[in-house]
Amino acid sequence: MDALASNPLSKRDGFYSYHDWMLKSDWSVLTAAISALLLTLTPLPALPIESPIHFTDVTDIADIHFKHTDGASGEFHLLETLGAGGAFLDYDNDGDLDLYLVNSAAPSVFYRNNGDGTFTDVTTPTGVSNQGSYGHGVACGDYDNDGYVDIYVTNFGANRLYHNKGDGTFTDVTTESGTGDPRWSSSATFFDYDSDGYLDLYVVNYLNYKLDASYPACFENPGFRATEKARGYCHPKHFEGAPDRLYRNNGDGTFRDITAAANIRDPGGMFYGKGLGVVAADFDADGNPDLYVANDDTPNYLFYNKGDGTFAEIAILTGCAYSADGVAQAGMGVDAGDYNSDGFLDIFVTNFSYETNTLYRNNGDGTFTDVSYKARLGEESYLSLGFGTGFFDADNDGHLDIFVANGHIFPNVERTTDVLSYQQPNQLFWNQGDGTFTEVPFDGHPAVSRGILFGDYDNDGDTDLLITQLNDKAVLLRNESGTSNNWLRLKLIGTRSNRDGIGARITLTIGAESQTREVHVGSSYLSSNDPRVLFGVGQRTTVDQLEIRWQSGVVQILENLTVNQELVVTEPFSEK
């Protein structure tokens, strides 16, 4: 979780914490000092006088009373720092997004959306508390195509798959499904990698880590001039990465581990990435979903889907493994989206303090370019520590904006530096439509944020946010942006493709302008989002054409569509 992992001045023998490690390095201190000076000397871009984007905290009004618990016992185990995510999903098919919030050292909580702006806790009757596990993330998808969305929870220890019975309850089918990965899992996503109509499952694993006597004691200096040391969290460089897992859906309610057969492995063959975030998307538009994995302090992965049941890891070759200066950053959260409306999906990754978040522009030729500074996202994120993130159109103007949930790892980080803080403000970057973004004021207080969920929970045509916080309450933010921009929302139902329509590529055209989106729900950090696709269309009142390329190969075209409505589109059985 630190850009300084490659620092040649860092101590190689023995264990240091993040704090102690940075302080031992003169280079780290010098870099931080110079960067802080530059931030005071370099004028920031002028912010808009008044941003049209506005969110209101409606957590209490919505009757959401969830609080995350990390279970810290003073032993400084790394799992205490990761936090947990959540999911927007419609488990009862009533058209309203329900809410699943993962907890760590306490039971997870499930809320049913009442359709009137409030939620009801239905954890006990649904049976999805993840009781007895230390939870981190969640992925949602209808893996058996029965019309009801299922829930997969990632844990420190065995993961759990909950099958939706369609009667308001779930059944734990982990053992019979074969998906109980016992490693330390972080994020996961459902996607149909072989286009057979059934959702497969990719599980991201973090470290080989044990809660026993072999756990090292790491120490930190509480301040620059302090001589005493205090127990702290160890740097992840002292632990081996854990291999990810790809489970193929057999179509009968069970899965088969095909990680090796599909060539899901580190190209070096010896060291595994330390994964925290994942997104499945068709980056080369060939009809086969690829995988991008955000790794902590190790090169990120881009698994190119060869269309024959196997993948090739090509992140270094394509330019999206490292930052522009060749550094393996501390990847946390990730999303894919076409921010510049060129028809190709780009990648955004959040990273550690003294790094920048990274925007990889898809060049359309199989390569990516780090355009973080050019897009005005670099300097703006240098001192923040980002976790959850996502592309979304906050004001429905037709351009994808970016939200980042921030929060540091170390509660005492202020005692080691004058420029970092534990609680940090979240950030909203407004897409200017010219390839650049402007950071706009965001409603909210500094916090230790982790996951971020995107979804229109009140069905009013704009995207709302749910932010999870470490050892704190979850926060529901209702989008109340002051615009009159129009929108069009799609809910896809697959027939030949998977029922959720995951992997479908949608192109909306109005005049000479177009927007391209894909259906993917697993992204951000430890989280799962609204499965519906929401397009903002500005002041336009009619959509000329909507092209849906289903993963089965079926292409469906709809024309002359009225805006400000939700369309439920079922995949036709014919080819076109």
Side-chain angles (χ1 to χ4, degrees):
M1 302 175 184
D2 196 328
L4 305 175
S6 58
N7 185 357
L9 302 178
S10 62
K11 186 174 178 64
R12 298 294 179 181
D13 53 340
F15 291 98
Y16 281 126
S17 70
Y18 281 98
H19 285 177
D20 195 47
W21 183 58
M22 289 198 294
L23 294 172
K24 289 289 182 181
S25 167
D26 295 336
W27 174 252
S28 303
V29 176
L30 179 61
T31 300
I34 293 175
S35 300
L37 178 63
L38 290 175
L39 286 174
T40 62
L41 297 177
T42 304
L44 295 175
L47 295 176
I49 296 176
E50 183 178 357
S51 168
I53 303 174
H54 178 66
F55 290 84
T56 298
D57 185 341
V58 295
T59 312
D60 293 335
I61 297 174
D63 287 333
I64 296 173
H65 306 290
F66 173 88
K67 184 178 185 296
H68 175 260
T69 303
D70 67 6
S73 61
E75 294 299 319
F76 293 93
H77 291 296
L78 272 179
L79 61 157
E80 300 164 3
T81 67
L82 261 60
F88 275 130
L89 69 156
D90 184 4
Y91 86 101
D92 52 1
N93 290 342
D94 65 353
D96 298 310
L97 289 179
D98 309 300
L99 177 62
Y100 186 79
L101 293 172
V102 181
N103 215 329
S104 297
S108 299
V109 179
F110 198 21
Y111 289 99
R112 184 186 69 236
N113 190 329
N114 298 320
D116 59 1
T118 67
F119 291 79
T120 298
D121 187 336
V122 293
T123 310
T124 299
T126 55
V128 291
S129 69
N130 198 37
Q131 181 75 37
S133 297
Y134 194 95
H136 285 304
V138 57
C140 296
D142 183 3
Y143 74 89
D144 57 350
N145 289 333
D146 66 352
Y148 295 95
V149 63
D150 309 297
I151 299 174
Y152 185 78
V153 184
T154 63
N155 299 306
F156 176 77
N159 302 329
R160 281 182 170 150
L161 177 61
Y162 291 104
H163 175 249
N164 190 333
K165 297 169 63 178
D167 60 359
T169 68
F170 291 75
T171 301
D172 186 337
V173 295
T174 307
T175 301
E176 50 264 52
S177 67
T179 56
D181 194 325
R183 298 168 181 81
W184 182 2
S185 300
S186 52
S187 294
T189 190
F190 283 104
F191 75 124
D192 185 4
Y193 89 96
D194 53 0
S195 300
D196 66 350
Y198 290 96
L199 290 176
D200 309 298
L201 177 63
Y202 189 89
V203 178
V204 179
N205 289 317
Y206 187 37
L207 304 175
N208 282 329
Y209 191 94
K210 296 180 180 180
L211 302 180
D212 58 22
S214 65
Y215 179 78
C218 301
F219 296 87
E220 63 185 25
N221 283 316
F224 283 116
R225 291 175 294 277
T227 57
E228 72 275 14
K229 289 184 178 182
R231 184 80 179 269
Y233 294 103
C234 291
H235 192 284
K237 71 175 183 176
H238 296 299
F239 306 94
E240 294 180 348
D244 296 347
R245 283 291 174 261
L246 174 60
Y247 294 99
R248 182 181 183 276
N249 192 327
N250 296 321
D252 59 2
T254 67
F255 291 77
R256 181 165 56 93
D257 184 344
I258 60 162
T259 308
N263 199 35
I264 297 293
R265 62 182 181 86
D266 189 290
M270 294 180 62
F271 303 101
Y272 295 110
K274 302 169 183 179
L276 289 173
V278 64
V279 63
D282 186 1
F283 292 110
D284 57 352
D286 67 350
N288 300 309
D290 311 300
L291 287 162
Y292 188 86
V293 181
N295 288 320
D296 182 7
D297 206 42
T298 51
N300 296 329
Y301 292 148
L302 174 57
F303 289 109
Y304 164 66
N305 191 333
K306 298 168 65 176
D308 60 0
T310 66
F311 292 80
E313 204 293 300
I314 58 172
I316 294 177
L317 294 175
T318 57
C320 58
Y322 303 100
S323 63
D325 54 0
V327 174
Q329 297 175 294
M332 310 287 191
V334 62
D335 197 13
D338 183 13
Y339 82 94
N340 56 355
S341 299
D342 65 353
F344 293 95
L345 301 181
D346 312 291
I347 302 170
F348 185 75
V349 185
T350 56
N351 297 301
F352 209 81
S353 301
Y354 298 146
E355 298 178 341
T356 72
N357 297 330
T358 307
L359 177 62
Y360 295 104
R361 185 188 64 212
N362 190 330
N363 298 319
D365 60 0
T367 66
F368 293 82
T369 299
D370 180 346
V371 295
S372 305
Y373 281 97
K374 184 176 181 180
R376 288 166 52 185
L377 296 169
E379 182 178 289
E380 293 75 5
S381 62
Y382 184 72
L383 295 179
S384 300
L385 200 166
F387 278 91
T389 190
F391 289 106
F392 77 120
D393 190 349
D395 56 348
N396 286 340
D397 66 350
H399 303 293
L400 290 178
D401 311 299
I402 297 174
F403 185 86
V404 179
N406 293 316
H408 214 279
I409 295 294
F410 309 111
N412 295 324
V413 67
E414 291 95 341
R415 301 176 63 180
T416 69
T417 172
D418 294 328
V419 295
L420 299 181
S421 62
Y422 184 52
Q423 294 183 326
Q424 299 181 354
N426 297 319
Q427 294 175 292
L428 176 60
F429 297 99
W430 190 17
N431 192 329
Q432 301 300 288
D434 60 0
T436 68
F437 293 80
T438 295
E439 184 180 356
V440 299
F442 181 74
D443 313 287
H445 303 288
V448 186
S449 300
R450 291 297 184 257
I452 173 73
L453 321 182
F454 300 85
D456 186 4
Y457 85 94
D458 54 359
N459 287 330
D460 64 350
D462 53 30
T463 301
D464 310 298
L465 308 176
L466 189 290
I467 303 171
T468 68
Q469 301 179 147
L470 184 70
N471 250 19
D472 206 344
K473 68 176 186 177
V475 179
L476 178 63
L477 299 176
R478 184 174 63 210
N479 191 333
E480 296 183 347
S481 298
T483 75
S484 58
N485 290 333
N486 298 316
W487 52 276
L488 182 68
R489 184 168 56 227
L490 298 179
K491 177 181 178 180
L492 301 188
I493 300 177
T495 54
R496 296 175 54 177
S497 304
N498 65 84
R499 187 176 175 85
D500 290 335
I502 292 176
R505 175 172 288 233
I506 307 166
T507 301
L508 178 146
T509 302
I510 300 177
E513 299 177 357
S514 65
Q515 301 179 46
T516 298
R517 307 281 177 82
E518 269 192 7
V519 181
H520 66 262
V521 295
S523 59
S524 184
Y525 171 77
L526 310 177
S527 300
S528 185
N529 303 307
D530 191 342
R532 302 170 299 180
V533 177
L534 181 64
F535 288 93
V537 297
Q539 296 296 304
R540 307 296 181 89
T541 58
T542 302
V543 172
D544 296 338
Q545 179 177 287
L546 199 69
E547 179 184 284
I548 305 171
R549 190 192 72 186
W550 298 84
Q551 220 180 313
S552 65
V554 170
V555 177
Q556 189 172 5
I557 295 178
L558 307 175
E559 296 180 324
N560 299 321
L561 303 173
T562 303
V563 298
N564 298 335
Q565 65 167 323
E566 177 178 304
L567 294 178
V568 179
V569 182
T570 300
E571 178 185 17
F573 284 94
S574 60
E575 289 295 330
K576 290 188 179 181

